[in-house]
Short mmCIF file of all heavy atoms in Angstrom, two decimals:
data_model
loop_
_atom_site.label_atom_id
_atom_site.label_comp_id
_atom_site.label_asym_id
_atom_site.label_seq_id
_atom_site.Cartn_x
_atom_site.Cartn_y
_atom_site.Cartn_z
N TRP A 830 -35.22 -35.34 -37.27
CA TRP A 830 -36.38 -34.85 -37.95
C TRP A 830 -37.43 -36.01 -38.03
O TRP A 830 -38.60 -35.79 -37.71
CB TRP A 830 -36.05 -34.35 -39.28
CG TRP A 830 -37.20 -33.98 -40.18
CD1 TRP A 830 -37.62 -34.59 -41.32
CD2 TRP A 830 -38.13 -32.91 -39.92
NE1 TRP A 830 -38.77 -34.01 -41.84
CE2 TRP A 830 -39.10 -32.96 -41.03
CE3 TRP A 830 -38.24 -31.94 -38.99
CZ2 TRP A 830 -40.11 -32.04 -41.11
CZ3 TRP A 830 -39.30 -31.02 -39.11
CH2 TRP A 830 -40.23 -31.11 -40.16
N MET A 831 -37.00 -37.19 -38.44
CA MET A 831 -37.92 -38.30 -38.55
C MET A 831 -38.47 -38.72 -37.21
O MET A 831 -39.59 -39.08 -37.08
CB MET A 831 -37.22 -39.51 -39.29
CG MET A 831 -37.05 -39.19 -40.74
SD MET A 831 -36.60 -40.65 -41.75
CE MET A 831 -35.00 -41.01 -41.13
N ARG A 832 -37.61 -38.65 -36.15
CA ARG A 832 -38.08 -38.98 -34.82
C ARG A 832 -39.10 -37.94 -34.37
O ARG A 832 -40.15 -38.30 -33.75
CB ARG A 832 -36.91 -39.02 -33.86
CG ARG A 832 -37.23 -39.44 -32.45
CD ARG A 832 -37.93 -40.80 -32.47
NE ARG A 832 -37.48 -41.53 -31.28
CZ ARG A 832 -37.56 -42.84 -31.12
NH1 ARG A 832 -38.11 -43.58 -32.05
NH2 ARG A 832 -37.11 -43.36 -30.06
N PHE A 833 -38.84 -36.67 -34.62
CA PHE A 833 -39.85 -35.60 -34.29
C PHE A 833 -41.17 -35.88 -34.95
O PHE A 833 -42.19 -35.78 -34.29
CB PHE A 833 -39.25 -34.25 -34.64
CG PHE A 833 -40.35 -33.18 -34.68
CD1 PHE A 833 -40.82 -32.62 -33.52
CD2 PHE A 833 -40.87 -32.79 -35.88
CE1 PHE A 833 -41.81 -31.66 -33.57
CE2 PHE A 833 -41.86 -31.78 -35.92
CZ PHE A 833 -42.35 -31.21 -34.74
N LEU A 834 -41.13 -36.14 -36.22
CA LEU A 834 -42.43 -36.39 -36.95
C LEU A 834 -43.13 -37.62 -36.37
O LEU A 834 -44.35 -37.58 -36.18
CB LEU A 834 -42.06 -36.71 -38.44
CG LEU A 834 -41.57 -35.51 -39.25
CD1 LEU A 834 -41.16 -35.95 -40.67
CD2 LEU A 834 -42.61 -34.39 -39.30
N GLU A 835 -42.36 -38.64 -36.06
CA GLU A 835 -42.96 -39.85 -35.48
C GLU A 835 -43.65 -39.53 -34.16
O GLU A 835 -44.78 -39.96 -33.90
CB GLU A 835 -41.85 -40.93 -35.31
CG GLU A 835 -42.40 -42.20 -34.64
CD GLU A 835 -41.26 -43.21 -34.45
OE1 GLU A 835 -40.09 -42.80 -34.16
OE2 GLU A 835 -41.55 -44.42 -34.51
N GLU A 836 -42.92 -38.83 -33.27
CA GLU A 836 -43.46 -38.51 -31.95
C GLU A 836 -44.70 -37.62 -32.04
O GLU A 836 -45.58 -37.67 -31.18
CB GLU A 836 -42.38 -37.94 -31.08
CG GLU A 836 -41.35 -38.93 -30.65
CD GLU A 836 -40.18 -38.35 -29.90
OE1 GLU A 836 -40.00 -37.09 -29.91
OE2 GLU A 836 -39.36 -39.12 -29.38
N ALA A 837 -44.73 -36.76 -33.07
CA ALA A 837 -45.88 -35.85 -33.24
C ALA A 837 -47.02 -36.49 -33.97
O ALA A 837 -48.03 -35.86 -34.21
CB ALA A 837 -45.37 -34.61 -34.01
N GLY A 838 -46.84 -37.77 -34.39
CA GLY A 838 -47.88 -38.45 -35.10
C GLY A 838 -48.03 -37.99 -36.56
O GLY A 838 -49.09 -38.07 -37.14
N LEU A 839 -46.98 -37.44 -37.10
CA LEU A 839 -46.98 -36.91 -38.48
C LEU A 839 -46.19 -37.81 -39.41
O LEU A 839 -45.48 -38.66 -38.98
CB LEU A 839 -46.33 -35.49 -38.48
CG LEU A 839 -46.99 -34.43 -37.61
CD1 LEU A 839 -46.17 -33.20 -37.53
CD2 LEU A 839 -48.42 -34.15 -38.07
N SER A 840 -46.38 -37.58 -40.70
CA SER A 840 -45.62 -38.30 -41.69
C SER A 840 -44.74 -37.31 -42.40
O SER A 840 -44.97 -36.11 -42.41
CB SER A 840 -46.57 -38.95 -42.67
OG SER A 840 -47.38 -39.87 -42.08
N GLY A 841 -43.67 -37.87 -43.01
CA GLY A 841 -42.76 -36.97 -43.74
C GLY A 841 -41.74 -37.80 -44.51
O GLY A 841 -41.79 -39.04 -44.55
N LEU A 842 -40.83 -37.10 -45.14
CA LEU A 842 -39.75 -37.82 -45.90
C LEU A 842 -38.51 -36.98 -45.92
O LEU A 842 -38.56 -35.77 -45.64
CB LEU A 842 -40.29 -38.15 -47.33
CG LEU A 842 -40.69 -36.95 -48.24
CD1 LEU A 842 -39.56 -36.40 -48.98
CD2 LEU A 842 -41.78 -37.40 -49.10
N LEU A 843 -37.45 -37.65 -46.23
CA LEU A 843 -36.18 -36.94 -46.42
C LEU A 843 -35.94 -36.80 -47.93
O LEU A 843 -36.04 -37.84 -48.66
CB LEU A 843 -35.01 -37.74 -45.83
CG LEU A 843 -35.01 -37.89 -44.30
CD1 LEU A 843 -33.91 -38.86 -43.89
CD2 LEU A 843 -34.85 -36.53 -43.64
#
Side-chain angles (χ1 to χ4, degrees):
W830 173 248
M831 289 193 293
R832 184 57 143 199
F833 164 77
L834 292 174
E835 178 182 33
E836 290 174 348
L839 302 171
S840 298
L842 58 91
L843 294 174

